[in-house]
Amino acid sequence: MAKPIGFHMGLEEFRRHGYAAVDWIADYYARVETFPVLAQVRPGEVRAALPPEPPERGESFAAMLQDLERVILPGITHWQSPNFFAFFPANTSGPAILGELLAAGLGVQGMLWVTSPACTELETHVLDWLAALLGLPDRFRSSGAGGGVIQDTASNASLCALLAARERATGGESNERGCDGRLVAYASTQAHASIEKAMGIAGLGRKNLRLIGVDAAMALRPELLAEAIRADRAAGKIPCCAVATVGTTSSLAIDPVAGLGQLCRAEGLWLHVDAAMAGTAALCPEFRHLQAGLECADSYCFNPHKWMFTNFDCDCFYVADRSALIRALSILPEYLRNPETEAGAVFDYRDWQIQLGRRFRALKLWLVIRHYGAEGLRHHIRRHVELAQQFAAWVQVDAQFELAVAPVLNLVCFRHRGGDEVNERLLERLNASGRLYLTHTRLGERYTLRFCVGQTHTELEHVQRAWDSIRSAAPQ
Ligand code: PLP
C-alpha cells in the first residue's frame, strides 16, 4: 500500500482519508441529537437518491463522504442517539469503534487457530475474563471441559445450543441421518422468536417447540414445564432441550433458572439460558441474583452488542461441556488439516459455530474491557438502571399512566390509561416528532409502551425530556 499501484488506495492517501473518517464519526456523535431519532424517509427514498448504475471511473473519498451526509444520513435511525429508548439498545463506545477499525485493518479470518493464533487465544482469554466479571459458574471457563466463543448474535448462539442438545440427546444420530420428528424442546410464551426459528433450522421442526405458560411477572412456570415433559414422554416424544430467558424481549421477565436447572437435570434435558440484554447487568454483584442457578445450565449467552458498549455484532456464548457442541458442528475437509488441529492442542472456533469464516471480534471486546475496567462498566450499567427506575417512579405517580408490570433493571413497560387506541396514537405521535424513539409490545393482550435506557450517552436530562414529551403528547 506504500505507493498506489494500479487503482489501489496508497498508504498516505489511506492515512489522510482515515483521519477524515474518524473526524466524521466524532462530528457525528457531537451532533447526533440534532437528527430525528427515527428516520423520517419514505420507503424507496434512499434508493431513489442513488445513481442507477455503479461508477465506471473511481471516485474521490471526499465525494463518498459528501454522499454519506446527503443520501445516507437522512435514512439512518439513530441508534446512538441518547434519545433512543426503543427495542433493546445496540450501544457503542469509542474503544469498541476503534477495535472494529483495528480488526478491519488486520483483516484476519480466524476460522482455525493456525489462521491467526492471536484471534483465537485472545477470544478464549477475554471470554474467560468476562465469565469472571459476570460471576458465571467455573464450568463455563476454558480451563475445564467448557468454554466461551463469540457468535454474531444471540439467535445463532441459541441455534448452536439447540444443535448441541440434539447431538447429546441422539448420540449423533440426528446429525448423521436427520431428525424423525420425535425431539421436542421448551421455552416460555415470552421467549424470543429466534428459538422457534432455530427449531426449524435445526430440523427439529417449529411445531416441536412447546411454549410454556408464564406467571403474573411473565416468567416461565416450572410446574407447567414438568407437566409438558410428562405428556410428551407419554406420547413417545423425546424432550431434549429447554430455554430459559433472563430478561425477555417484551418485558425483561426473568425465568427461574434455578428451578428450571434442577428440573432439566432430573429429566436429562439440555438447559440453555438466553440473557441477550439483561446478562450485562451481572457485571454488578447486586444484580447477579437474577441469574441464580446457572450452575445447572448447559449453555448461556448474552450480547455485549446490546448493553455493554460493544459494537454490533458480538454475542458471548458459553458451554459447560464443549464436546457435544464440537461433535455437532465439526467437519474437517483435507484443505483445513494442520498439525495443531490434528494434535488436539488448540481451539478451532469454526467447530463452535455455524459458518466457517469468522471475524476478529474479540479485539473490540478486549479494548472495551480495558478502557472501562470492571469499575467503569459497572458504573454505567448502574446509572442506566437508576435512570429507568426514575422514569418508572414518574409513571407511577401520574394519574394518566400506569406501569404494565413492575420495572426490571433498565426497562419500563407502561401505558396510558386510555386504552390500546390511545397508546398506539401516542406512540405514532412521539416517533413522528423525531425527539425520541420508543417501541411497543403486548402484555396480557394489552398494547404497552416500552422505555429502555441503554444508549451509551443517555443521561437524566434525556430521560426527563422524554417523559415531558410523552406527557405533553398524551390526550389530556
Ligand atoms: N434473545 C432475546 C431475549 C432478545 O431480546 C433478542 C433481541 O432483542 C434476541 C435473543 C436476539 O438477539 P440477536 O439480534 O443477537 O440475535
Side-chain angles (χ1 to χ4, degrees):
M1 248 209 286
K3 278 200 189 121
I5 297 175
F7 291 83
H8 295 308
M9 187 182 278
L11 197 51
E12 287 314 314
E13 200 186 352
F14 171 77
R15 196 187 298 280
R16 206 159 21 91
H17 298 329
Y19 289 146
V22 170
D23 278 344
W24 189 91
I25 296 169
D27 290 342
Y28 170 67
Y29 278 85
R31 63 192 166 125
V32 69
E33 287 189 62
T34 64
F35 302 112
V37 187
L38 177 65
Q40 306 285 314
V41 291
R42 288 181 305 281
E45 209 173 314
V46 176
R47 284 199 71 178
L50 292 164
E53 305 293 338
E56 175 60 25
R57 297 201 119 190
E59 299 179 61
S60 72
F61 191 71
M64 297 175 212
L65 276 188
Q66 272 167 21
D67 284 350
L68 188 62
E69 286 283 335
R70 186 180 63 84
V71 183
I72 303 301
L73 263 186
I76 292 292
T77 288
H78 297 276
W79 284 71
Q80 305 316 321
S81 165
N83 301 310
F84 183 99
F85 302 103
F87 305 107
F88 283 157
N91 66 18
T92 67
S93 64
I97 296 166
L98 295 175
E100 282 280 28
L101 182 61
L102 293 169
L106 287 171
V108 303
Q109 204 275 59
M111 58 188 171
L112 301 169
W113 176 87
V114 74
T115 61
S116 257
C119 180
T120 294
E121 293 193 16
L122 183 68
E123 185 161 327
T124 309
H125 201 74
V126 167
L127 267 76
D128 277 351
W129 272 7
L130 261 178
L133 285 172
L134 297 168
L136 300 184
D138 284 348
R139 57 207 293 261
F140 288 135
R141 310 245 186 129
S142 64
S143 45
V149 60
I150 301 180
Q151 304 279 346
D152 52 3
T153 56
S155 304
N156 265 347
S158 296
L159 173 58
C160 288
L162 214 51
L163 292 171
R166 190 189 80 174
E167 175 77 18
R168 194 174 77 178
T170 65
E173 183 66 18
S174 58
N175 214 6
E176 292 300 318
R177 275 181 259 280
C179 297
D180 62 5
R182 288 202 300 152
L183 294 173
V184 288
Y186 308 86
S188 91
T189 54
Q190 302 295 304
H192 192 261
S194 55
I195 309 300
E196 185 184 334
K197 189 167 171 178
M199 289 290 286
I201 299 169
L204 275 69
R206 291 185 182 195
K207 289 224 161 79
N208 286 320
L209 178 66
R210 310 281 189 250
L211 294 180
I212 307 298
V214 294
D215 61 20
M218 301 287 156
L220 190 151
R221 291 172 55 191
E223 75 280 11
L224 296 185
L225 174 60
E227 259 174 44
I229 294 172
R230 267 197 303 277
D232 277 324
R233 287 202 201 283
K237 296 280 189 181
I238 306 173
C240 73
C241 183
V243 178
T245 311
V246 170
T248 58
T249 316
S250 268
S251 66
L252 222 59
I254 312 286
D255 288 343
V257 177
L260 294 173
Q262 279 159 16
L263 178 61
C264 288
R265 273 227 172 139
E267 295 283 349
L269 266 67
W270 183 288
L271 176 63
H272 174 59
V273 177
D274 174 4
M277 183 187 72
T280 294
L283 290 166
C284 308
E286 68 271 30
F287 300 134
R288 284 192 196 146
H289 63 276
L290 297 175
Q291 61 184 33
L294 263 186
E295 305 73 50
C296 288
D298 294 286
S299 55
Y300 169 85
C301 75
F302 90 106
N303 288 353
H305 75 219
K306 281 187 164 37
W307 194 15
M308 214 186 92
F309 314 107
T310 307
N311 282 57
F312 189 92
D313 49 3
C314 184
D315 167 274
C316 294
F317 176 52
Y318 291 90
V319 283
D321 178 359
R322 54 189 179 264
S323 62
L325 178 69
I326 293 175
R327 277 200 317 275
L329 295 171
S330 182
I331 194 141
L332 186 60
E334 182 58 33
Y335 81 103
L336 294 179
R337 287 186 185 276
N338 66 86
E340 290 80 11
T341 296
E342 308 270 314
V346 294
F347 284 174
D348 289 322
Y349 276 134
R350 52 112 209 202
D351 289 341
W352 298 51
Q353 62 177 22
I354 308 293
Q355 73 277 23
L356 172 64
R358 60 199 329 272
R359 313 201 300 118
F360 194 175
R361 295 191 188 90
L363 202 54
K364 61 185 169 189
L365 202 46
W366 189 45
L367 265 55
V368 166
I369 296 171
R370 293 183 66 179
H371 170 85
Y372 286 92
E375 169 195 57
L377 292 171
R378 284 189 212 112
H379 169 85
H380 290 289
I381 295 305
R382 283 181 180 133
R383 182 77 185 130
H384 284 160
V385 174
E386 256 171 44
L387 291 174
Q389 299 296 328
Q390 172 64 76
F391 180 89
W394 290 330
V395 172
Q396 209 161 15
V397 296
D398 190 298
Q400 291 203 84
F401 287 88
E402 64 184 358
L403 293 173
V405 284
V408 180
L409 296 169
N410 60 336
L411 179 71
V412 183
C413 292
F414 71 108
R415 49 175 96 96
H416 190 278
R417 291 180 189 272
D420 287 4
E421 181 73 20
V422 166
N423 283 289
E424 277 183 55
R425 296 291 87 78
L426 175 58
L427 186 69
E428 278 167 17
R429 267 199 300 282
L430 287 166
N431 290 341
S433 79
R435 286 200 294 273
L436 75 171
Y437 184 24
L438 288 182
T439 47
H440 80 284
T441 187
R442 275 190 187 274
L443 291 177
E445 301 299 311
R446 293 176 65 188
Y447 194 94
T448 301
L449 306 177
R450 295 168 75 265
F451 187 87
C452 190
V453 183
Q455 204 289 317
T456 310
H457 301 292
T458 298
E459 273 304 334
L460 181 60
E461 61 185 288
H462 304 103
V463 175
Q464 174 75 67
R465 271 205 303 269
W467 178 233
D468 292 345
S469 299
I470 293 166
R471 280 201 315 171
S472 50
Q476 299 304 313

